[in-house]
Amino acid sequence: MHAMVLKKIGAALEWTELADPQPGPGEIRVKVSACGVCRTDLHVVNGELPNPKIPIIPGHEIVGRIDVLGAGVEGLNLGERVGVPWLGHTCGVCPYCLGHQENLCDHPLFTGYTRNGGFATAVIADARFAFPLGEIGGDEALAPLLCAGLIGWRSLVIAGKGKMIGLYGFGAAAHIIAQVAKWQGRSVFAFTRAGDIATQAFARSLGATWAGGSDEQPPEPLDAAIIFATVGELVPLALKAVRKGGRVVCAGIHMSDIPSFPYRLFWEERQLVSVANLTRQDGIDFLRLVPEMGIVTKITRYPLNQANQALADLRAGRFKGAAVLMP
Ligand SMILES: [Zn+2]
Ligand SMILES: [Zn+2]
């Protein structure tokens, strides 16, 4: 197999030939057909997340077909199309696993961070954490749903049922969740970098009721806001934009420091919460609805060996929507 491997934090990924991996008991080998590029991959490469496995193959928005079944795998078939997400393994016995919060497992493995991911022609996955994807939709169109979509979905659920939803940072996740929220009959308010007219127009084209700079106030107070951008300064701005009792959800795994802010922005029972990882139930709930929701993912394709370019373009904001690597 071939893979783009991170051999040292901060270094470029290296195109590497590796022995074909064999699945252990309970595992599958997936021939990768598309793998999305997520901001978390940038955090891994930049060393912003603690204790990555090094060397590591990044990538956790994997779509492919099972080409080897390990011993004891049940419910999946050779040739079946599956998605492999960020949550790669949980211990099953810690209080969080036992309490329906496996996203907070004490001993988890994360795809592309602490176990090898999908910037490769093949990947080994724990069969229990792979999602059957069926045959509706193209591989590359589905890839961004495996993290941007799933974490976005969890964030939207945690944001509550309010009708007026703000999205701060209109990248891969927001462009999917805007469509989901619209499908649910909500109104979407999209916040971008000040003056980013092109992204604001993109948000409106996906059904946003309003789009503007993150320094602006929405025309009406929001029921909830989700912050997808990694910018801590957005937290007080989002608190200011939500109504009394409103909720602000931080969806990122990493964020710059949150500046101090006056207590009155938080007062009146506003809530500030974060979302970490996903549970398998999130995936089941979201992926079941995907064919109905008619989500159109805007993707920019890169050959697998151009992964460094894709990461650089993501860092610089040079594309709208999501980047997808094609082996
Ligand atoms: Zn656990
Ligand atoms: Zn991700």
Side-chain angles (χ1 to χ4, degrees):
M1 65 174 271
H2 285 89
M4 292 298 283
V5 182
L6 180 71
K7 296 180 179 169
K8 195 172 153 248
I9 290 297
L13 306 182
E14 290 179 38
W15 178 251
T16 307
E17 183 167 6
L18 300 162
D20 286 337
Q22 297 302 321
E27 293 182 326
I28 52 175
R29 188 171 78 191
V30 176
K31 188 172 183 294
V32 179
S33 47
C35 185
V37 180
C38 173
R39 191 158 290 277
T40 300
D41 298 315
L42 274 182
H43 296 319
V44 170
V45 169
N46 294 346
E48 288 159 333
L49 303 182
N51 307 318
K53 176 182 103 64
I54 296 289
I56 184 77
I57 303 169
H60 56 272
E61 297 183 314
I62 306 167
V63 177
R65 288 188 186 272
I66 299 172
D67 77 342
V68 184
L69 288 167
V73 173
E74 285 172 12
L76 293 171
N77 298 303
L78 274 181
E80 186 168 359
R81 184 165 73 161
V82 292
V84 180
W86 170 248
L87 187 70
H89 177 83
T90 56
C91 76
V93 296
C94 75
Y96 298 102
C97 282
L98 295 174
H100 305 287
Q101 286 183 297
E102 67 178 358
N103 58 309
L104 302 178
C105 175
D106 281 335
H107 303 285
L109 289 173
F110 296 112
T111 311
Y113 172 34
T114 54
R115 65 182 289 156
N116 279 333
F119 288 7
T121 54
V123 64
I124 300 292
D126 183 324
R128 298 169 305 157
F129 292 82
F131 298 116
L133 290 179
E135 295 297 333
I136 300 172
D139 295 338
E140 66 270 36
L142 291 176
L145 301 182
L146 268 304
C147 179
L150 267 171
I151 303 279
W153 169 262
R154 182 173 177 82
S155 305
L156 185 62
V157 171
I158 288 178
K161 295 199 184 302
K163 205 158 163 25
M164 316 278 283
I165 296 287
L167 304 177
Y168 284 78
F170 206 85
H175 102 286
I176 294 167
I177 292 312
Q179 297 176 63
V180 173
K182 182 117 194 294
W183 178 82
Q184 293 174 330
R186 311 197 205 203
S187 299
V188 172
F189 298 78
F191 297 82
T192 71
R193 274 196 199 96
D196 187 352
I197 306 295
T199 303
Q200 291 164 16
F202 177 52
R204 277 189 218 97
S205 76
L206 294 174
T209 303
W210 176 91
S214 53
D215 55 338
E216 294 176 47
Q217 281 292 300
E220 307 166 62
L222 305 172
D223 293 314
I226 305 172
I227 304 178
F228 290 114
T230 59
V231 182
E233 282 86 4
L234 292 173
V235 170
L237 292 173
L239 282 168
K240 204 171 165 185
V242 299
R243 62 167 171 78
K244 292 182 279 188
R247 192 174 295 170
V248 173
V249 180
C250 298
I253 192 169
H254 174 80
M255 202 182 228
S256 59
D257 287 352
I258 301 170
S260 70
F261 54 86
Y263 177 65
R264 66 178 159 73
L265 297 181
F266 186 50
W267 164 240
E268 294 171 322
E269 301 194 351
R270 289 176 180 84
Q271 298 173 36
L272 177 61
V273 297
S274 68
V275 159
N277 313 314
L278 67 139
T279 65
R280 281 172 283 180
Q281 194 60 46
D282 294 327
I284 291 163
D285 294 346
F286 175 63
L287 293 169
R288 183 169 42 208
L289 290 173
V290 160
E292 286 179 51
M293 292 191 286
I295 296 167
V296 179
T297 46
K298 163 105 173 130
I299 55 169
T300 303
R301 295 176 185 78
Y302 295 82
L304 173 59
N305 62 11
Q306 298 299 307
N308 290 306
Q309 188 63 49
L311 288 168
D313 289 350
L314 173 60
R315 188 180 283 120
R318 278 192 283 262
F319 55 78
K320 303 267 170 283
V324 178
L325 301 179
M326 311 292 292

